[in-house]
Amino acid sequence: MRRSVRRRAAAGLVAGFALLLPTALPALADPPSGVIELDGATSAEGIAAGAGKTFYAGELTTGDIFRGDIRKGTATRFIDAPEGRAAAGMKADTCNDLLFVAGAGTGKVFVYNTDTGKPVADVKLGSGFINDVTLTADGAWFTNSMAAELYFLPVGDGGKLGKVQTLKLTGPAAELTKGFNLNGIAATENGKTLIVAHSTNGKLYTVNPKNGKSAAIKGVNVPNVDGILVHGDDVWAVQNFLNQIARIDLTSDLSSGVLRDTIKSADFNVPTTVARFGNTLAAVNAQFNQPPSPFEVVLVPAHDPDL
């Protein structure tokens, strides 16, 4: 079933960035904007860029996955997940045709084939809330919002999955609060540094993936931070209940950062994660603590012509 993109005015623009995926994303001339409805969804949280103009969005409480096209403004239910699954953050490995889905309160990661939609793996990571995922050349990293640790799932030749490794964190990123702790995660292009977001503290931290040592990124304050994306020295941080996305310029050593601009849209309704397609950003509305209404992916320009 086709979903029409409802054209609305989007307030605020942001400079472009790129996902850390095995293949480059295409730039789109005349970038689309508006809203794509996830028809029939009863919840939402994660979104990932696939090949070309394809995106994947997850239904948080059921684990079902929608597949859509940002140019056509369409989305349909692609994966009817087995009972007992959930879908938080996600990333698509376009080289191996795999979709990695953080399993939220299940403590698992679910892996699907993006060609067929069939399940590939169901892997236990840890107790707590598996919130988000990022990809490097060697595999997938996951956060747990209830534990001071990250999980690494190796991905070998042909998409072969290895044995899960647990990385215990030290330093400020290991602080645990009563609320949600580590949330979004991203990796630098060379994979030598991870950046994690702490929702309750409203901070970003660097993490050494070899030893788990962390350090605060000075000068960065992002209350209600959720999903993040990194490209070069720039970080885009989704601030869910503030209905905005902050773009932060980091120093070359990633030790500090400065807020450069903020994306806002009248269509944002508690956005949680974001993906990029050339000149377009796609953010999914989670609508936490709201009366039921259609769940949506919001498209906004990714470049501010005045910057």
Side-chain angles (χ1 to χ4, degrees), residues 42-43 58-66 77 79-87 112:
T42 58
S43 60
E59 193 169 20
L60 175 62
T61 56
T62 68
D64 286 4
I65 306 296
F66 287 77
R77 196 179 300 270
I79 297 171
D80 186 2
E83 186 176 353
R85 294 195 172 192
Y112 299 94

Side-chain angles (χ1 to χ4, degrees), residues 19 21 23-26 48-56 92 94 275-277:
L19 278 173
L21 297 179
T23 57
L25 296 173
K53 298 168 288 182
T54 301
F55 71 86
Y56 302 92
T94 56
R276 173 191 175 256
F277 298 83

Side-chain angles (χ1 to χ4, degrees), residues 1 5 29 37 60 82 97 147 203 210 214 240 279-280:
M1 182 183 298
V5 176
E37 292 187 8
L60 175 62
D97 299 322
K203 300 295 184 181
K210 292 184 178 181
S214 68
N240 49 33
N279 301 326
T280 298

Side-chain angles (χ1 to χ4, degrees), residues 50-249:
K53 298 168 288 182
T54 301
F55 71 86
Y56 302 92
E59 193 169 20
L60 175 62
T61 56
T62 68
D64 286 4
I65 306 296
F66 287 77
R67 182 170 64 182
D69 184 308
I70 67 162
R71 174 59 72 191
K72 294 179 180 178
T74 60
T76 56
R77 196 179 300 270
F78 174 52
I79 297 171
D80 186 2
E83 186 176 353
R85 294 195 172 192
M90 60 184 67
K91 287 293 185 295
D93 178 349
T94 56
C95 286
N96 294 304
D97 299 322
L98 297 175
L99 181 68
F100 294 85
V101 180
T106 67
K108 295 181 176 181
V109 52
F110 303 111
V111 186
Y112 299 94
N113 183 289
T114 54
D115 284 338
T116 65
K118 293 183 179 180
V120 173
D122 172 347
V123 183
K124 182 70 174 180
L125 299 181
S127 299
F129 193 97
I130 309 304
N131 207 326
D132 210 351
V133 55
T134 192
L135 300 180
T136 67
D138 300 318
W141 285 93
F142 298 84
T143 57
N144 186 339
S145 294
M146 303 301 171
E149 56 193 29
L150 303 178
Y151 310 99
F152 179 64
L153 179 60
V155 181
D157 293 341
K160 183 179 179 180
L161 303 179
K163 184 178 179 180
V164 172
Q165 304 166 22
T166 299
L167 179 69
K168 299 291 185 179
L169 301 184
T170 60
E175 180 183 358
L176 296 179
T177 68
K178 293 182 179 180
F180 272 70
N181 298 281
L182 298 182
N183 194 331
I185 184 170
T188 56
E189 188 172 359
N190 60 15
K192 293 183 178 181
T193 304
L194 302 173
I195 297 177
V196 295
H198 195 294
S199 292
T200 301
N201 292 347
K203 300 295 184 181
L204 300 181
Y205 304 102
T206 57
V207 174
N208 185 321
K210 292 184 178 181
N211 56 29
K213 292 182 179 180
S214 68
I217 299 179
K218 298 177 182 179
V220 176
N221 184 35
V222 278
N224 300 123
V225 63
D226 204 310
I228 61 174
L229 284 173
V230 172
H231 175 58
D233 294 335
D234 287 328
V235 177
W236 283 257
V238 183
Q239 296 175 271
N240 49 33
F241 286 102
L242 296 183
N243 287 310
Q244 63 188 35
I245 302 173
R247 182 178 73 85
I248 298 156
D249 182 21

